[in-house]
Amino acid sequence: MNDLPHQPVLYKEIIHALQPRGGGRYVDGTLGAGGHARGILEVSAPDGRLLGLDVDPQALTLARKNLAPYEERIHLAQASYASLSTQLAQLQWEAVDGILLDLGASSMQFDTAERGFSFLQDAPLDMRFGPHVSQTAADLVNESSERELADLIYQYGEERESRKIARAIVKARPLYTTRELVAAIESVSPRRGDRLHPATRTFQALRIAVNEELTSIKEVLPQAVTALKPGGRLAVIAFHSLEDRIVKDFFREQSKDLVNPPYERIYEEERKATLKEVNRKPMVPSEDEIKNNPRARSAKLRIAEKT
Ligand SMILES: C[S@@+](CC[C@H](N)C(=O)[O-])C[C@H]1O[C@@H](n2cnc3c(N)ncnc32)[C@H](O)[C@@H]1O
């Protein structure tokens, strides 16, 4: 596959986690360029099937090309993973053997300047993963109150200087390009040597807000549990602590039996654990992988198995 700049993040670990096999049914909810999907299809030859979803039409075009050799075993749709149940119902797939979510933006999206994801390249402030998203980062930056911006940058960017940055953004408005936004941020939070670029956290916050990423993750997790066969696995790669915390808390919660002791009523609703955590601590990329692909450095993989 020539259109992949490097091996997909935690590739071997994902294949090992999902254990694809012939006849199995798999979902890649974040298809991107189709790197992980290709591995799943290869290992599940000759008749494993894969449903691939992405909200980004450009990603789907690339994935379709990269997965052409497996055309007969794939179903691709331009749709959010948050609509997993609907997508599966359309295919009349009642249950699946494995689900992958490789969250966030792809290298392709970061590297395509005009998408506006990167603070290193000048472009319109867009940051939408796909055309289904109605507001751009420019809309958000120009139309939110200073308070709303500060809260958003603090919450989704975990940026301690959020108030200062929000004030600078409001003062510099209207902002239409990544360069203008970076300049506003740098006016109150200048670059310091090798330290994290001062715009990193604000860009992350805006991207999460524009695409309502955390809401989508919260929506998909229970659907994934319902969709899995007993013994089927869900593998999620998160790239920052906000995503990872949602996945971690969900896995912990679903791994507990909520069964009342005799004569006591602690839980309103009783429930047996629906998931078993395969790795209590998240897996992280090796030093070698990080050397080849620095963007992998913050990846964390959690795997759970349906009981
Ligand atoms: C990190 S990349 C995935 C890379 C992929 N695993 C590969 O091997 O090339 C994440 C992808 O998820 C997509 N995405 C983000 N939010 C989504 C959502 N709610 N539903 C479906 N896809 C989404 C992005 O457009 C992006 O292409």
Side-chain angles (χ1 to χ4, degrees), residues 217-229:
I217 300 168
K218 286 181 192 154
E219 284 175 4
V220 69
L221 294 173
Q223 296 178 53
V225 174
T226 308
L228 283 171
K229 292 180 189 166

Side-chain angles (χ1 to χ4, degrees), residues 8 29-36 54-56 79-81 102 104-106 109 129:
T30 50
L31 195 61
H36 289 110
D54 205 297
V55 282
D56 181 351
S80 170
Y81 52 68
D102 177 13
S106 66
Q109 288 163 336
F129 280 146

Side-chain angles (χ1 to χ4, degrees), residues 24 64 91 112 156 166 172-173 230 237 241 257 272 282 298 300:
R64 206 176 289 283
L91 275 183
T112 308
Y156 296 156
R173 290 198 300 211
I237 306 177
S241 53
D257 285 330
K272 281 282 201 190
S298 45
K300 283 189 176 158

Side-chain angles (χ1 to χ4, degrees), residues 8-265:
V9 174
L10 291 162
Y11 177 80
K12 280 199 219 106
E13 291 81 354
I14 287 294
I15 299 301
H16 188 255
L18 296 179
Q19 301 172 346
R21 50 175 181 75
R25 286 180 170 174
Y26 302 91
V27 179
D28 184 342
T30 50
L31 195 61
H36 289 110
R38 184 186 64 159
I40 294 170
L41 285 157
E42 235 166 51
V43 180
S44 67
D47 53 357
R49 303 190 79 84
L50 177 120
L51 166 64
L53 306 176
D54 205 297
V55 282
D56 181 351
Q58 288 179 12
L60 279 172
T61 304
L62 185 61
R64 206 176 289 283
K65 186 168 142 227
N66 287 335
L67 299 175
Y70 310 96
E71 198 182 2
E72 280 154 22
R73 299 198 273 133
I74 57 176
H75 311 268
L76 304 187
Q78 186 181 326
S80 170
Y81 52 68
S83 67
L84 179 66
S85 308
T86 313
Q87 300 301 321
L88 290 173
Q90 277 173 9
L91 275 183
Q92 300 185 321
W93 282 12
E94 270 173 24
V96 298
D97 298 275
I99 300 173
L100 166 64
L101 297 169
D102 177 13
L103 300 171
S106 66
S107 297
M108 186 180 67
Q109 288 163 336
F110 277 121
D111 293 341
T112 308
E114 63 269 23
R115 303 288 301 262
F117 289 108
S118 169
F119 50 79
L120 299 174
Q121 311 187 65
D122 193 25
L125 266 178
D126 189 329
M127 299 198 196
R128 288 170 301 158
F129 280 146
H132 67 296
V133 181
S134 51
Q135 64 171 1
T136 64
D139 297 334
L140 203 60
V141 154
N142 292 320
E143 288 162 23
S144 307
S145 69
E146 183 180 324
R147 175 76 190 267
E148 284 165 343
L149 275 175
D151 288 351
L152 179 156
I153 295 169
Y154 182 71
Q155 248 183 15
Y156 296 156
E158 302 186 286
E159 169 62 84
R160 276 181 302 172
E161 304 198 318
S162 57
R163 305 232 163 270
K164 229 163 66 175
I165 292 176
R167 205 172 313 129
I169 290 176
V170 168
K171 203 168 137 207
R173 290 198 300 211
L175 299 173
Y176 296 111
T177 65
T178 51
R179 183 169 294 160
E180 289 167 355
L181 176 59
V182 170
I185 297 168
E186 284 184 339
S187 71
V188 287
S189 181
R191 283 194 213 196
R192 288 198 200 98
D194 278 352
R195 299 257 291 272
L196 198 68
H197 189 292
T200 310
R201 298 186 204 279
T202 301
F203 269 65
Q204 172 186 304
L206 289 172
R207 199 200 77 210
I208 292 176
V210 164
N211 296 290
E212 299 185 35
E213 290 178 52
L214 304 184
T215 310
S216 300
I217 300 168
K218 286 181 192 154
E219 284 175 4
V220 69
L221 294 173
Q223 296 178 53
V225 174
T226 308
L228 283 171
K229 292 180 189 166
R233 285 184 168 185
L234 169 61
V236 188
I237 306 177
F239 285 86
H240 52 78
S241 53
L242 297 166
E243 286 172 349
D244 185 54
R245 206 170 305 140
I246 295 173
V247 180
K248 175 175 138 187
D249 291 349
F250 182 81
F251 281 10
R252 293 274 143 94
E253 193 49 39
Q254 297 294 316
S255 307
K256 281 190 224 150
D257 285 330
L258 305 184
V259 180
N260 287 321
Y263 313 113
E264 276 186 65
R265 202 174 152 79

Side-chain angles (χ1 to χ4, degrees), residues 252 277-284 300-303:
R252 293 274 143 94
E277 286 182 271
V278 175
N279 52 340
R280 192 97 187 132
K281 282 207 166 163
M283 288 181 171
V284 294
K300 283 189 176 158
L301 166 62
R302 293 186 187 271
I303 308 156

